[in-house]
Amino acid sequence: MIIIGERINGMFRDIAKAIREKDPKPVQEWAQKQEAMGAGYLDLNVGPAVPERVPAMKWLVEVAQEASKLPLCLDSTDYDAIEAGLEVCKQPAMINSVPAIADKMDRVFTLAQKFDAEVIGLAMSEEGIPKDAESRVALSMELVANCDAYGVPVDRLYIDPLVLPANVGQDHGPEVFETLRQIKLLSDPPPKTTVGLSNISQGTKNRELLNRTFAVMAMACGLDSAIADACDEELVAAVATARVILNMDIYCDSYVDVFRNQNL
Ligand code: THG
């Protein structure tokens, strides 16, 4: 499972302040730290409080790619901000995200085609997030069909079944796992999958244990990636361990790497 480092997000106070004051240092430190911990992408989200999202996203992209070679995952509901970010990305990026709503899919898949970007598609519609796996899978199929129709290779689509906090949506958990399993049957090649891992533990105690346990259970259902806390060593160790148990590496490569780096 690839970790998309979640930390460069204006939801965190240090990043909100850095964006406000145009101070590259916190962004670049988190970029380097997450890369060193083995993240495969950096999620960039300007956060809820920024008045001008377009220049803020452009600045985040420019600043992050000075500090890290990782591909970027541009996280915004404002597609003008996504487009401004894509224009300054030096390598193909990931667009986070698009729901199964026609005009939004039109805008995002057109951008993806133009900029050779990957896309995160959300299993939700105008009516919101359905509870049952069947409806989430039906929305996933709409995302797959549109992705293909706009000429974006389906293996560049990451479907996110949408994880809700366990304290408000405990009944969604099993539906998310079932959705992850069924997504792999939708097409050949199938789309990839992702989740916002830390969502599961928002507002709960013992957050890391919830995140880690959810991650390994979802990996057993075929989860390919997660927007997650790349700096949680226990999570990184659990993911490496699950890769061995699921027979995903020859010679336990990821296991050896992680435990050598962590001196465990
Ligand atoms: N799916 C997709 N993208 C996403 C999400 C998703 N992007 C945003 C989010 N969800 C994933 N990223 C985070 C980042 C941080 C937290 C949760 C998810 C988090 N933050 C602390 C909190 O809310 O308690 C903030 C703590 C602080 O302020 O210091 O948990 O689902 N495609």
Side-chain angles (χ1 to χ4, degrees):
M1 188 189 81
I2 294 168
I3 293 186
I4 303 168
E6 72 182 7
R7 193 54 179 74
I8 304 176
N9 187 319
M11 154 196 313
F12 293 98
R13 214 178 298 160
D14 59 341
I15 298 297
K17 184 163 178 277
I19 294 171
R20 247 190 343 264
E21 297 175 0
K22 286 237 157 56
D23 174 11
K25 208 162 159 230
V27 174
Q28 296 186 327
E29 280 175 1
W30 279 115
Q32 281 161 358
K33 209 154 144 191
Q34 293 180 103
E35 181 170 9
M37 286 296 294
Y41 294 77
L42 299 174
D43 192 72
L44 302 184
N45 185 320
V46 301
V50 168
E52 297 248 42
R53 287 178 292 204
V54 170
M57 182 62 93
K58 182 167 175 274
W59 181 79
L60 268 189
V61 168
E62 285 168 343
V63 162
Q65 65 190 355
E66 276 169 25
S68 166
K69 294 236 168 331
L70 290 180
L72 304 175
C73 175
L74 310 186
D75 186 354
S76 182
T77 51
D78 180 339
Y79 298 131
D80 293 335
I82 299 259
E83 183 166 13
L86 289 170
E87 275 166 358
V88 290
C89 277
K90 290 185 185 147
Q91 58 178 326
M94 191 184 281
I95 300 174
N96 184 9
S97 53
V98 65
I101 296 175
D103 58 325
K104 294 184 196 284
M105 289 192 286
D106 176 55
R107 176 91 195 259
V108 166
F109 287 123
T110 302
L111 281 176
Q113 223 273 339
K114 178 171 171 199
F115 289 97
D116 190 25
E118 296 178 300
V119 176
I120 297 179
L122 306 176
M124 66 179 290
S125 66
E126 287 96 338
E127 280 123 66
I129 304 173
K131 204 197 88 185
D132 58 297
E134 211 179 1
S135 308
R136 279 174 154 106
V137 172
L139 293 170
S140 303
M141 191 67 229
E142 278 187 46
L143 290 159
V144 167
N146 277 275
C147 180
D148 185 55
Y150 283 86
V152 175
V154 170
D155 55 6
R156 294 182 68 71
L157 173 66
Y158 287 69
I159 292 185
D160 180 348
L162 288 165
V163 171
L164 298 181
N167 62 354
V168 297
Q170 196 179 325
D171 49 346
H172 283 250
E175 307 295 334
V176 167
F177 295 132
E178 184 55 27
T179 306
L180 287 172
R181 279 188 212 103
Q182 291 188 25
I183 284 169
K184 290 299 177 188
L185 309 173
L186 285 179
S187 60
D188 185 17
K192 296 193 171 106
T193 50
T194 198
V195 293
L197 184 65
S198 303
N199 300 6
I200 193 67
S201 65
Q202 272 178 318
T204 73
K205 289 194 193 301
N206 216 340
R207 291 197 64 173
E208 269 106 9
L209 180 59
L210 264 169
N211 295 345
R212 203 184 307 150
T213 305
F214 190 97
V216 298
M217 292 177 74
M219 283 176 74
C221 302
L223 182 68
D224 297 296
S225 66
I227 303 152
D229 179 3
C231 299
D232 176 0
E233 291 190 4
E234 298 274 5
L235 173 64
V236 173
V239 169
T241 307
R243 289 184 64 89
V244 174
I245 293 168
L246 294 168
N247 192 30
M248 292 169 80
D249 300 310
I250 47 169
Y251 310 132
C252 303
D253 285 347
S254 69
Y255 201 64
V256 172
D257 284 350
V258 162
F259 287 91
R260 188 189 288 131
N261 290 341
Q262 295 191 357
N263 279 322
L264 292 175

